[in-house]
Amino acid sequence: MLPAEKLMADQVLVIGSGGREHALAWKLAQSSHVKRVLVAPGNAGTADDEKISNSAISISDHTALAKYCKDQKIGLVVVGPEVPLAAGIVDDLTAAGVRCFGPTAKAAQLESSKSFSKAFLDRHHIPTARWKAFTNAEEACKFIKSAEFPALVVKASGLAAGKGVIVATNKGEACKAVLEIMQDKTFGAAGETVVVEELLEGEEVSCLCFTDGVVIAPMPPAQDHKRLMDGDQGPNTGGMGAYAPAPQLSKDLLLKIRNGILQKTIDGMRKEGIPYIGVLYAGLMLTKDGPKVLEFNCRFGDPECQVILPLLKSDLYEVIQATIDRKLSSCIPVWFDDCAAVTVVMASEGYPGSYGKGLEISGFSQAKELGLEVFHAGTAIKDGKVVTSGGRVLTVTAVKKDLLSALEKANEGVGVIQFKGAIYRKDIGYRAIAFLKQSRGLTYKDSGVDIAAGNTLVQKIKPLAAATSRPGCNAELGGFAGLFDLKEAGYKDPILVSGTDGVGTKLKIAQLCNKHNTIGQDLVAMCVNDILAQGAEPLFFLDYFACGKLDVGMAQAIIAGIAEACKLAGCALLGGETAEMPGMYPPGEYDLGGFAVGAVERGQMLPQLDRIVEGDVVIGIASSGIHSNGFSLVRKIVEKSPLDFSSPSVGGSGHQTLGEQLLTPTKIYSKILLPILRSGSVKAYAHITGGGLLENIPRVLPASFGVVLDALSWKIPDIFSWLQKEGNLSEEEMTRTFNCGIGAILIVPKELAGQVLKDIQRHEDAWLIGKVVRHQAGSAHVKVNNLLQALQAKRLPSFHSQGSKSQASKTRVAVLISGTGTNLEALMASTKKPTSYAEIVLVISNKAGVEGLKKAERAGIPTKVIDHKLYGSRTEFDSAVDKVLEEFATELICLAGFMRILSGPFVRKWDGKILNVHPSLLPSFKGSNAHRLVLEAGVRVTGCTVHFVAEEVDAGAIIFQEAVPVKIGDTEKTLSERVKEAEHRAFPAAMQLVASGAVRLGGDGKLCWNAEKHN
């Protein structure tokens, strides 16, 4: 469902004029959230159909289009064809404040540039045909003749309306195609570069998905029919029909395509700094070596759209809005899975060559009576009648219980639609029908269980388990049961202790982030940390992994994490169960269960309830974060927050995303704590797991006692402060759901607390956090004082915070650099002082690999590279910088050797929040050659100036200056070195003045001093 602010009826504008756009308008009009759908320019089918009508606005003038959208109160623009996407319509409308669905121009390069697309596939190891790009026809022909593979596919690299691909039957034909594209300009500018690639053999399919840049939601696979005539004869066209779903793709193969192609592509684009949001269309060839990418389209296909959307059960408007908001995971589309759709294209006589126009079309009412949907493409209204106006005139779509029935009904429909010379195929879906008619004996694999894949997995994980061997167990997998020798492990009178647990809905985040290598540690930790409560050493571990379809690579990553965690815990991975259960779990989802068995000598069991007395001390041991409890609430908070799992982590932990931060694995305490538990100094241990602090500590206390804790006594990770603020959670909700930074507690005698604390602190952060008290009837057993105060002390300052700062609430500073970062080093040194009012939370560079970035990373400061060369304008680059600054809740910006002139909108937004240092005593000697100008002028004193940045270069209000004498014989180099030393003193001093609130920029552009703060 949409949030409340999106529930009002909206006006939607669909860009385009084909059958795809008619289908989009038709589906959007079904939404209760949509008041009206306008189509620009549209066709006869969208001219006046209840909620749908056409608009004459030009779609090529983006400025005028943005104004039109605002004037007409258009709430959403949906782009159909590829040309506007490649022209940057999404970028321009979004920049103007108009919500627009589709990828940016940079992201649309996956379609608009075949050479970019092929290079991207190679960079990210996504399977595709071998290839090479050329700008010279002669070199391309030489390659065709000498390539070690059949180089028979010739593509115009640019956009060619879906027709820029020639599949040759021999090398001569391929060379002829190169000459036609490059010399005869068959496809115009699109053919300035050609891509020559290997001819792949197999069956073509179309796999599309919605994506918000992180999450993908696949659509039913479809198959297009490019050739003009039955039996795939005749010339190539834009598509003569399609059907969905394609039965040739098993669930196993669909999962492989989802993870190995679609998700990998979206992840790759995000890693390259070009997040892809919209619809991704992968044209694939099902080869004997598996699916390979033929091409990408950056929008719905035509005619695939006309068979996919009729199968969509969900509200298309809601899905699109969730995708734009990067919250697709909360609105995964649902599809009708008990039917099939077929669409047949009716084309003009002469297509794909020249054809006539203006021929009257009839039979629409008869088609409607048959229950068919007719989506118009090349149609127009003339004298009140619908006439032909294009090559592909319309498509007739039928939805029935099976493919054969749908094809029969669609063919019946094209029989009643009439216009002179109409061309259409009668065999759409013939390959699928032949596939379905094949007589094949069923196998276990047909039911969805792949025994061979399971055996492969076992062979891959055997060495992982063997590496966890320990005294008492050799951890060999493959038997019916595992054995453990307690005597060999050194036990004399042992009590066995067992524990079982899972990871809960933290798994959902791992699956959404496609990060599976840490979740195994969570599973082991949840079990072994529990059995420590009895004082038990974990001896062996067993896992249970359940899925709908076994992905060997994913399962191996998970079990490798389990094995590594077993080594951390000191226990053996003795065995496990992999359960492949088709239909129980959706593709890509799985569940985990874990079982730990440990032992403790009879006299060393915990808790020792009879020893616990009033005044005993509670020691808290640090958690790594949320651990593995409360994730249903966490996911709900993230869903309602402005962040998503791909946003920078809370508190700015380097290059970590929020998803990665939430997936930080649960700490394993057994090796650290076992010697201390066995020492006799500890009366009780509690694992702070599900139920938080409130419900776990009482489990190891006598009923007559409770504990009082002080939240100001331990370090609470930033993530808890963020969760409390975003979720508006009460103290009780926080302490009953989360560990709040304490993963485990010990109860020890007061006189031994100091020594036990020191022993723990050799390995792990720990604190004295409270004491044991007498429990009063009717009161809680656990009281946590000062929690909200502690959480608020950790809270990130708001972006708009004003006024002076206390040292406990430091100003969040971002430093922008382009090079070595010598001034950055001085600023960092200043912020490390206990008297500092500033904290550097981010360093941004417009150049990768510079020394300044390395200095920041060594200091543990998050860094970000935003390459200005990837952006078309200063404003676009500054907008990218601005977005990152906001994500890190920046309050003050320092330009430290940042070699870019900032745009007016950026400077105005951050007015009074940007500092720069200039190597002269301003207002004298402005510009980039200050030292040369000083020496030429013959002045005897220069220096440096720290000032607020204004739109005019080097003209902002001056905060701090330091003079430097000009010596006889000075060169630009020697003078620069001495001025730089002064900058290293002046810049930090000015930053501290502004950060403390001692000085600020007034509304008149002049300085305002706070006398109380300024000495």
Side-chain angles (χ1 to χ4, degrees):
M1 287 296 293
L2 288 170
E5 63 268 21
K6 296 265 171 60
L7 289 176
M8 294 175 63
D10 226 343
Q11 288 209 109
V12 178
L13 176 65
V14 174
I15 303 293
S17 62
R20 165 183 52 217
E21 288 72 41
H22 189 180
L24 283 164
W26 167 80
K27 193 66 181 178
L28 285 163
Q30 295 172 13
S31 172
S32 60
H33 306 302
V34 174
K35 179 169 59 178
R36 186 151 198 78
V37 181
L38 298 172
V39 187
N43 53 46
T46 57
D48 188 14
D49 181 12
E50 296 180 6
K51 288 166 76 171
I52 305 170
S53 59
N54 290 339
S55 170
I57 183 68
S58 168
I59 61 173
S60 58
D61 185 343
H62 297 172
T63 303
L65 182 61
K67 184 177 184 303
Y68 171 84
C69 290
K70 290 181 177 179
D71 290 346
Q72 298 297 316
K73 295 183 171 53
I74 301 294
L76 172 67
V77 177
V78 178
V79 185
E82 65 275 16
V83 173
L85 292 170
I89 190 170
V90 173
D91 311 64
D92 293 340
L93 291 185
T94 302
V98 178
R99 285 176 73 80
C100 192
F101 178 66
T104 62
K106 278 194 173 67
Q109 289 180 100
L110 282 178
E111 177 174 7
S112 63
S113 172
K114 301 292 188 297
S115 54
F116 171 88
S117 175
K118 296 292 286 189
F120 173 87
L121 290 166
D122 285 351
R123 283 196 301 276
H124 294 279
H125 309 290
I126 298 169
T128 187
R130 291 172 285 182
W131 67 287
K132 196 168 183 181
F134 298 92
T135 55
N136 180 282
E138 187 178 340
E139 289 178 6
C141 288
K142 281 182 183 176
F143 176 75
I144 288 168
K145 293 171 183 175
S146 63
E148 61 184 24
F149 53 82
L152 299 177
V153 180
V154 182
K155 297 179 176 180
S157 182
L159 295 176
K163 304 183 186 74
V165 179
I166 296 172
V167 181
T169 57
N170 55 55
K171 294 180 179 181
E173 270 188 31
C175 287
K176 182 184 175 186
V178 168
L179 296 174
E180 287 175 352
I181 293 173
M182 301 194 78
Q183 294 182 359
D184 300 342
K185 303 294 184 185
T186 308
F187 302 114
E192 290 176 359
T193 298
V194 296
V195 171
V196 178
E197 66 178 46
E198 174 186 14
L199 177 66
L200 297 176
E201 294 183 354
E203 196 161 341
E204 287 189 45
V205 293
S206 306
C207 290
L208 291 79
C209 67
F210 293 100
T211 176
D212 62 3
V214 177
V215 175
I216 65 166
M219 305 180 198
Q223 188 171 62
D224 186 12
H225 295 64
K226 288 290 187 187
R227 298 286 185 173
L228 182 68
M229 297 181 291
D230 286 356
D232 284 334
Q233 301 299 307
N236 248 358
T237 71
M240 293 301 294
Y243 67 90
Q248 302 94 314
L249 283 82
S250 65
K251 289 183 179 179
D252 188 14
L253 190 54
L254 285 172
L255 184 60
K256 189 172 185 179
I257 291 167
R258 174 197 173 109
N259 294 335
I261 294 176
L262 297 175
Q263 187 69 61
K264 214 169 180 182
T265 299
I266 298 308
D267 291 345
M269 291 294 281
R270 189 174 68 253
K271 287 172 185 173
E272 293 196 7
I274 313 174
Y276 188 104
I277 298 169
V279 169
L280 179 67
Y281 171 133
L284 308 175
M285 182 71 82
L286 304 181
T287 75
K288 60 181 176 58
D289 299 320
K292 294 188 177 183
V293 177
L294 294 172
E295 64 175 0
F296 285 122
N297 291 332
C298 294
R299 31 72 190 185
F300 278 105
D302 187 341
E304 290 92 342
C305 185
Q306 292 93 300
V307 290
I308 289 173
L309 289 186
L311 298 178
L312 179 61
K313 186 184 291 187
S314 300
D315 185 319
L316 177 61
Y317 176 86
E318 290 186 2
V319 174
I320 287 175
Q321 292 285 12
T323 302
I324 294 174
D325 289 336
R326 300 194 179 196
K327 294 187 177 180
L328 182 56
S329 61
S330 66
C331 191
I332 296 294
V334 179
W335 304 89
F336 293 106
D337 57 7
D338 55 353
C339 54
V342 172
T343 197
V344 178
V345 173
M346 299 185 72
S348 296
E349 186 176 15
Y351 176 77
S354 59
Y355 48 82
K357 297 182 181 180
L359 302 173
E360 184 178 349
I361 311 168
S362 63
F364 294 114
S365 59
Q366 293 95 315
K368 189 171 183 179
E369 288 171 5
L370 291 172
L372 301 168
E373 292 296 337
V374 178
F375 296 115
H376 291 236
T379 65
I381 296 176
K382 183 178 180 183
D383 300 328
K385 296 177 181 179
V386 179
V387 298
T388 64
S389 68
R392 291 192 296 172
V393 177
L394 51 82
T395 64
V396 180
T397 300
V399 179
K400 291 292 174 184
K401 61 179 173 42
D402 57 57
L403 199 58
L404 190 56
S405 303
L407 176 58
E408 289 173 353
K409 186 58 80 173
N411 284 337
E412 188 179 348
V414 296
V416 301
I417 301 283
Q418 301 288 323
F419 61 91
K420 187 180 177 183
I423 300 171
Y424 52 88
R425 288 180 61 159
K426 297 180 181 178
D427 66 341
I428 301 301
Y430 76 94
R431 290 192 196 88
I433 292 168
F435 174 83
L436 293 170
K437 287 182 176 178
Q438 288 176 10
S439 177
R440 303 188 309 278
L442 287 175
T443 66
Y444 204 4
K445 189 172 182 178
D446 289 330
S447 72
V449 179
D450 191 340
I451 295 174
N455 291 337
T456 299
L457 176 63
V458 171
Q459 293 308 311
K460 287 180 178 290
I461 63 176
K462 273 186 174 181
L464 301 176
T468 68
S469 296
R470 54 151 294 157
C473 174
N474 58 11
E476 288 185 1
L477 301 183
F480 286 102
L483 304 175
F484 194 95
D485 187 335
L486 284 167
K487 279 189 177 180
E488 187 185 338
Y491 284 90
K492 297 173 182 175
D493 185 18
I495 301 292
L496 291 180
V497 180
S498 65
T500 182
D501 212 332
V503 184
T505 58
K506 189 173 186 177
L507 291 175
K508 295 288 286 186
I509 297 176
Q511 290 155 13
L512 287 169
C513 296
N514 196 28
K515 181 176 172 59
H516 312 285
N517 60 337
T518 59
I519 211 78
Q521 179 168 329
D522 290 299
L523 184 68
V524 174
M526 294 300 287
C527 298
V528 300
N529 288 346
D530 274 357
I531 65 175
L532 277 178
Q534 266 60 54
E537 174 193 13
L539 301 177
F540 60 87
F541 187 85
L542 300 100
D543 70 88
Y544 176 81
F545 174 79
C547 60
K549 186 64 190 174
L550 180 61
D551 180 324
V552 172
M554 181 191 294
Q556 184 181 356
I558 294 165
I559 296 170
I562 292 173
E564 193 61 35
C566 285
K567 287 194 277 185
L568 289 175
C571 61
L573 179 54
L574 193 56
E577 166 71 3
T578 300
E580 189 174 21
M581 299 184 286
M584 288 289 289
Y585 299 93
E589 293 192 6
Y590 55 85
D591 201 1
L592 291 173
F595 311 88
V597 175
V600 58
E601 295 290 1
R602 193 176 299 273
Q604 295 179 341
M605 289 180 64
L606 293 176
Q608 297 174 359
L609 299 179
D610 57 335
R611 290 180 58 204
I612 294 174
V613 297
E614 186 176 8
D616 282 343
V617 172
V618 182
I619 294 177
I621 304 157
S623 68
S624 58
I626 301 172
H627 282 185
S628 300
N629 299 104
F631 273 88
S632 294
L633 179 56
V634 170
R635 287 166 49 237
K636 179 61 70 175
I637 291 171
V638 173
E639 181 185 323
K640 290 182 175 295
S641 81
L643 303 185
D644 57 38
F645 295 125
S646 65
S647 300
S649 60
V650 174
S653 304
H655 296 292
Q656 199 179 43
T657 65
L658 176 60
E660 290 166 340
Q661 182 180 26
L662 294 173
L663 290 172
T664 301
T666 308
K667 283 187 177 178
I668 293 174
Y669 297 114
S670 50
K671 279 191 175 179
I672 296 169
L673 293 184
L674 267 172
I676 296 168
L677 299 183
R678 289 170 170 171
S679 69
S681 302
V682 176
K683 300 179 180 182
Y685 155 100
H687 179 204
I688 309 305
T689 178
L693 293 163
L694 296 191
E695 295 188 5
N696 286 292
I697 298 175
R699 296 165 73 178
V700 297
L701 289 175
S704 57
F705 289 106
V707 297
V708 175
L709 311 180
D710 182 359
L712 292 173
S713 64
W714 74 84
K715 182 180 178 182
I716 299 180
D718 291 332
I719 190 65
F720 293 109
S721 298
W722 183 82
L723 288 168
Q724 190 276 325
K725 179 177 181 290
E726 289 296 326
N728 192 25
L729 305 181
S730 66
E731 283 185 303
E732 182 179 5
E733 195 67 37
M734 287 295 298
T735 50
R736 194 178 298 282
T737 306
F738 300 119
N739 64 59
C740 298
I742 299 296
I745 65 99
L746 303 180
I747 294 176
V748 299
K750 184 176 181 180
E751 64 273 14
L752 298 178
Q755 185 58 50
V756 173
L757 183 65
K758 285 181 182 178
D759 292 342
I760 298 169
Q761 287 176 336
R762 291 193 187 101
H763 310 282
E764 188 59 81
D765 286 339
W767 307 271
L768 304 178
I769 65 169
K771 62 183 180 180
V772 175
V773 296
R774 286 278 173 191
H775 177 243
Q776 302 297 319
S779 65
H781 279 83
V782 178
K783 183 178 181 182
V784 183
N785 292 326
N786 303 314
L787 180 64
L788 284 183
Q789 184 181 345
L791 289 167
Q792 288 162 0
K794 291 289 294 178
R795 186 165 297 163
L796 305 181
S798 67
F799 174 69
H800 296 291
S801 58
Q802 299 285 335
S804 63
K805 289 273 178 177
S806 70
Q807 289 172 18
S809 177
K810 295 184 178 183
T811 295
R812 295 174 63 81
V813 178
V815 183
L816 275 55
I817 65 170
S818 295
T820 56
T822 54
N823 273 324
L824 167 65
E825 209 165 8
L827 294 172
M828 290 193 302
S830 172
T831 59
K832 289 178 182 175
K833 295 177 181 178
T835 55
S836 174
Y837 291 92
E839 174 189 15
I840 298 176
V841 297
L842 173 67
V843 172
I844 296 177
S845 173
N846 64 312
K847 295 180 181 178
V850 297
E851 184 60 27
L853 289 174
K854 297 173 185 175
K855 290 175 180 176
E857 287 165 357
R858 286 195 292 268
I861 298 171
T863 61
K864 186 84 173 177
V865 176
I866 305 176
D867 188 350
H868 63 279
K869 295 176 184 176
L870 299 177
Y871 296 85
S873 67
R874 258 197 305 157
T875 303
E876 189 180 355
F877 169 71
D878 288 355
S879 177
V881 173
D882 177 69
K883 183 179 178 184
V884 176
L885 292 171
E886 289 215 30
E887 287 173 344
F888 279 79
T890 304
E891 296 175 287
L892 184 64
I893 303 166
C894 291
L895 307 182
F898 185 62
M899 307 305 290
R900 302 288 301 166
I901 296 175
L902 298 169
S903 63
F906 184 92
V907 173
R908 287 193 294 274
K909 173 176 178 177
W910 292 89
D911 188 38
K913 301 291 184 182
I914 312 174
L915 308 186
N916 184 44
V917 62
H918 182 75
S920 78
L921 296 175
L922 292 175
S924 300
F925 309 113
K926 295 180 180 181
S928 58
N929 298 305
H931 299 309
R932 179 167 57 80
L933 295 172
V934 165
L935 293 172
E936 287 174 354
V939 298
R940 306 317 310 156
V941 177
T942 183
C944 65
T945 303
V946 186
H947 61 94
F948 284 113
V949 172
E951 288 190 64
E952 183 182 344
V953 176
D954 297 334
I958 294 170
I959 306 165
F960 196 100
Q961 290 183 314
E962 181 168 332
V964 174
V966 181
K967 296 182 178 179
I968 296 172
D970 257 343
T971 63
E972 285 186 50
K973 182 180 179 182
T974 58
L975 183 59
S976 170
E977 288 171 352
R978 291 206 314 285
V979 171
K980 184 65 70 177
E981 291 173 3
E983 289 179 9
H984 295 169
R985 295 185 292 271
F987 209 172
M991 177 186 69
Q992 296 293 349
L993 284 171
V994 177
S996 68
V999 65
R1000 63 181 175 84
L1001 189 66
D1004 58 356
K1006 296 179 180 179
L1007 294 189
C1008 296
W1009 291 91
N1010 181 341
E1012 292 179 5
K1013 300 293 294 184
H1014 176 57
N1015 294 320

